[in-house]
Amino acid sequence: MPLTKSKDILDQELVGRDGHKLGHIRETFVDLDTGRIEFLIVEAPGLVGASGKYHPVPWSIVRYDPMAKAFHADVAKDRFKGSPSYDRAQIRSADYAWDEQSNRYFEVPVDVV
C-alpha cells in the first residue's frame, strides 16, 4: 500500500483526459469515519494566474500515475470547467452542499460515496 504525506499532494497538478491540465490541488477533504480522502479541491487556472474558484473533485474519479508522478481524472477539460466551483468561504461551509453537487455532477455512484 503506497503512502504519501498530504503536503506532497498539495499544489500538484490534476491532469484531465488527453493530458490537459485542469488545475492545482489546493486541499484534500478526508472522511474522519473511514480515514479516506473523499475530495480533492482543485483551483482552475485563470487568465493571469489562479482563478480563485475551487472545484471539488471526488477522489473516486482520481488516480495516481506513479510513472508520470501525476494525479489524473478521467474528465475532459471543458466538462471540468463546467463543474461546480466555489470560493474559499463556500468550500469551508457544509451549508453549500458542494460535496453532493460535485458527486452528482461527476456522476459518482451512490454506493461509492
Side-chain angles (χ1 to χ4, degrees):
M1 166 175 55
L3 296 174
T4 192
K5 297 176 282 188
S6 58
K7 75 176 194 105
D8 292 338
I9 295 173
L10 301 181
D11 292 324
Q12 295 291 316
E13 286 185 343
L14 181 65
V15 179
R17 193 176 295 153
D18 298 326
H20 290 108
K21 295 175 185 174
L22 303 178
H24 285 90
I25 300 167
R26 299 298 187 204
E27 291 186 70
T28 60
F29 274 76
V30 175
D31 181 323
L32 294 178
D33 290 334
T34 65
R36 291 182 5 196
I37 294 174
E38 293 295 323
F39 288 92
L40 296 179
I41 305 302
V42 178
E43 185 175 21
L47 294 176
V48 282
S51 67
K53 284 298 196 177
Y54 301 90
H55 299 257
V57 178
W59 181 252
S60 60
I61 70 164
V62 175
R63 67 177 173 76
Y64 180 71
D65 179 349
M67 298 298 284
K69 296 184 180 177
F71 290 91
H72 292 265
D74 187 24
V75 60
K77 187 175 183 177
D78 287 343
R79 179 138 172 85
F80 175 78
K81 282 182 173 181
S83 70
S85 65
Y86 307 87
D87 63 28
R88 284 189 189 272
Q90 292 169 322
I91 284 291
R92 290 185 182 123
S93 173
D95 294 341
Y96 286 93
W98 57 259
D99 54 341
E100 295 171 16
Q101 294 172 28
S102 182
N103 279 329
R104 194 169 39 253
Y105 182 85
F106 287 107
E107 301 173 351
V108 175
V110 176
D111 61 326
V112 173
V113 178

